[in-house]
Amino acid sequence: MSSPEHKQKIWELISDIKVGMLVTLDGPQPRARPMHLVQDAYDGTLWFFTRRSAEKVFETQADQDVCISFSDQEEGVYVSLSGTARLNDDRELIDKYWNPFVAAWFPDGKDDPDLTLMEIKVEFGEHWKARESKVFQLYEVAKANVKKGTRPDMGENEKFG
């Protein structure tokens, strides 16, 4: 697992992106769909509202292993987080994370019997953060093409877990 400092770094990378692509297995095929973060901090767990009747729920019941990726191309930020998914019906958490954005998707409110939280416990991941402008990145690519045996230095990359 990652340290509290690393969890803070992950949160700094994904908190402004808000929407990640959740990948589950639909039988043998991977399938991705957008999911919107509802939390205001990250401690190793990601939280999303979903419908209990959604296909992703059935897919995670068949195979709890999931991956969620976040990207901000303009900022050069890419984050891939893998872990296990499960449903959580904790009323205190539903109240805590409920907001007007979620309410728009669930017009029957917090008491909708189809409403649940998807909890993803992150076990490992990787992130990339470009350290310079697009012009610098192009320079690094060109330099690596000219100077054989070198690779472009695009910025930070770290695996964890």
Side-chain angles (χ1 to χ4, degrees):
M1 285 299 149
S2 59
S3 67
E5 295 79 19
H6 188 260
K7 289 175 183 169
Q8 179 61 33
K9 179 181 192 80
I10 293 296
W11 183 246
E12 288 169 6
L13 292 171
I14 68 173
S15 63
D16 289 337
I17 299 171
K18 291 288 188 214
V19 176
M21 292 298 290
L22 175 68
V23 179
T24 60
L25 286 177
D26 183 6
Q29 301 298 317
R31 182 169 175 208
R33 79 273 289 150
M35 297 292 285
H36 192 278
L37 286 169
V38 294
Q39 64 211 69
D40 56 7
Y42 171 70
D43 63 359
T45 302
L46 299 173
W47 296 96
F48 306 94
F49 279 98
T50 189
R51 294 195 180 284
R52 191 178 308 283
S53 60
E55 290 176 347
K56 66 183 156 286
V57 169
F58 300 113
E59 293 161 6
T60 59
Q61 288 171 340
D63 185 341
Q64 290 184 310
D65 293 330
V66 297
C67 178
I68 187 158
S69 62
F70 297 85
S71 69
D72 181 342
Q73 197 169 8
E74 287 183 23
E75 295 295 321
V77 172
Y78 304 92
V79 180
S80 175
L81 304 170
S82 296
T84 55
R86 72 179 189 97
L87 298 185
N88 189 317
D89 294 318
D90 184 315
R91 297 306 305 174
E92 285 183 30
L93 289 172
I94 289 171
D95 288 340
K96 176 180 177 179
Y97 294 132
W98 189 260
N99 63 58
F101 179 83
V102 175
W105 291 98
F106 295 93
D108 292 335
K110 293 185 258 185
D111 295 323
D112 184 335
D114 202 28
L115 173 79
T116 189
L117 280 167
M118 181 171 284
E119 172 184 2
I120 299 176
K121 295 275 190 194
V122 175
E123 297 169 2
F124 59 92
E126 187 168 6
H127 61 85
W128 299 260
K129 171 81 170 99
R131 100 178 125 184
E132 301 288 342
S133 68
K134 299 279 186 217
V135 172
F136 179 82
Q137 292 173 33
L138 289 173
Y139 165 76
E140 282 291 314
V141 169
K143 183 175 80 174
N145 281 315
V146 170
K147 194 173 180 180
K148 297 298 178 196
T150 63
R151 296 180 68 176
D153 181 2
M154 303 302 270
E156 180 182 324
N157 171 238
E158 183 179 2
K159 291 181 183 180
F160 67 93

